[in-house]
Amino acid sequence: MKRTRFSTLVMTGLAALALAGCGSIVPSSSDRGSPSAGASRAPYSTPGTYIQRPPRGLSSAQQNVVTRPQDAACLNALGAAGADFNPLPDTYAAPGCHTLGSVQLSSIAGDASSFGISNIGPVRCEVATAFGQWTRFGVDRAARQILGSPLARIETMGSYACRNVAGSNRRSAHARAEAIDVSAFILEDGRRISLIDDWNGGSRAEREFLRTVHRSACKRFGTVLGPEYNRAHADHFHLESAGEGPGTGFCR
């Protein structure tokens, strides 16, 4: 569904952010983002920013959001992949807490249908792209092959939250909108496969499914933490930052 609130966001420069996250111990990671070589510029709006001409896949309303030039290629790829999302303006909440180049995801396109996402807040575009690829190629296909039913929805415990890593003075990746916590998967046949109930307590097929999607996440994210990492992650997968290639991430 296209949203008309983006013109308001351009005039006010404010966004309503949903603060959510986990209380886990998360290894630190650096802010990542690469400039788009072919970005085409429109007239400057405010110092240091300009209104980007709309990448393919964005609605006429979405083009009105003030975006950084280096985010154009990512928005283009996310839109071309069929995701339903709203790009958000950059915001700064506190030292180390910001949403830069972030989007609000509503649904992700799959091979034959779209998948809903519950309880997710702002998330950096690169992370949203990796999340979409994982959902389509890792989760849905595993659900059909192992459990015999397509995916319908992913339940999350949130994304952006201005907070530190538990027990430290370091900002969590959640404080940069670079992490998503996934707690359960809803299938089209009505089954709910959750980390807390089914990682160890589910059927053989459900346990295999959860471990398969965990391995798949490790190929697409820089940091993946789950029930094998510590008790704090017994009920969710922590998916953080887009991966930079095989062997470069932290997967537990």
Side-chain angles (χ1 to χ4, degrees), residues 20 34 39 50-51 57 70 80 88 96 118 122 145-146 157 159 161 164 167-168 189 195 199 213 235 244 252:
S34 58
Y50 57 81
I51 298 177
Q70 59 264 48
L88 301 174
S118 63
Q145 293 170 8
I146 299 172
M157 299 169 70
S159 52
N164 291 342
S168 79
D189 64 9
L195 273 292
W199 180 262
V213 299
D235 59 354
E244 296 179 345
R252 287 289 298 275

Side-chain angles (χ1 to χ4, degrees), residues 41-55:
R41 299 193 175 192
Y44 279 88
S45 55
T46 57
T49 64
Y50 57 81
I51 298 177
Q52 186 73 35
R53 292 196 181 105

